[in-house]
Amino acid sequence: MLAVGTRAPDFTLYTTPDQKLSLSELKGKRVVLAFYPADWSPVCGDQMALYNEMLEYFSKFNAQLVGISVDGKWCHNAFSTDRNLHFPLAADFEPKGAVAKAYEVYDETIGECKRALYVLDEEGIIRWTYLSPVGINPGADGILDALESLENQPV
């Protein structure tokens, strides 16, 4: 994973079948990047559902959540609609895993993102990271602790 204090690499990925999102568009907000292996896996479904329920808490810290996997934009669209998700899922589909590789969270052996979290500050600097063990939902406590820590730092 990239080190805390590193500027997060910018990216532009599809978040709907015809819309893209660039990380640079989120400058001025804290950003939570949630890399996950696959839309329809049970652990990923639980993780994204949890984060969907936590959006209100993330927004209190001026944070935008972005889920990222190597699934395509149509797969994300179906998954997001089925689970009623209210945050963007970015398709790191073509070239496959390019963003995950830039963030050092691509698993070459299975061709998926590792389950990894990054919290970025308003300037796009990485302030917290977490790599979850395989098959384990990392939950939201670490994210909330990181966001709270940023809130308490002197300006």
Side-chain angles (χ1 to χ4, degrees):
M1 294 188 74
L2 298 176
V4 170
T6 304
R7 178 167 299 283
D10 195 17
F11 59 81
T12 301
L13 295 172
Y14 278 101
T15 54
T16 72
D18 48 26
Q19 293 179 321
K20 292 182 175 182
L21 172 72
S22 296
L23 179 61
S24 57
E25 294 172 33
L26 300 175
K27 189 172 181 180
K29 297 191 80 152
R30 295 173 180 144
V31 178
V32 178
L33 299 177
F35 289 88
Y36 64 99
D39 283 341
W40 298 98
S41 82
V43 176
C44 297
D46 290 348
Q47 182 185 6
M48 294 304 118
L50 171 65
Y51 293 166
N52 199 47
E53 293 180 16
M54 299 300 295
L55 290 176
E56 176 185 340
Y57 298 98
F58 296 158
S59 70
K60 287 180 181 176
F61 292 105
N62 188 33
Q64 171 67 52
L65 171 68
V66 179
I68 303 175
S69 80
V70 297
D71 294 299
K73 57 189 178 183
W74 291 104
C75 186
H76 277 335
N77 189 52
F79 179 66
S80 183
T81 299
D82 182 74
R83 303 299 167 98
N84 197 27
L85 300 179
H86 298 285
F87 60 90
L89 297 178
D92 192 10
F93 183 72
E94 184 60 39
K96 184 178 180 181
V99 174
K101 290 173 186 172
Y103 280 80
E104 301 178 355
V105 293
Y106 185 73
D107 188 334
E108 296 279 353
T109 59
I110 58 174
E112 296 175 345
C113 296
K114 296 177 182 175
R115 192 176 313 279
L117 301 168
Y118 282 93
V119 172
L120 316 178
D121 68 13
E122 296 88 340
E123 298 301 317
I125 304 299
I126 296 168
R127 295 300 179 193
W128 180 81
T129 66
Y130 181 76
L131 180 62
S132 186
V134 173
I136 303 294
N137 181 343
D141 290 348
I143 296 169
L144 290 172
D145 288 347
L147 292 171
E148 188 172 301
S149 174
L150 286 173
E151 193 79 9
N152 294 327
Q153 287 183 355
V155 180

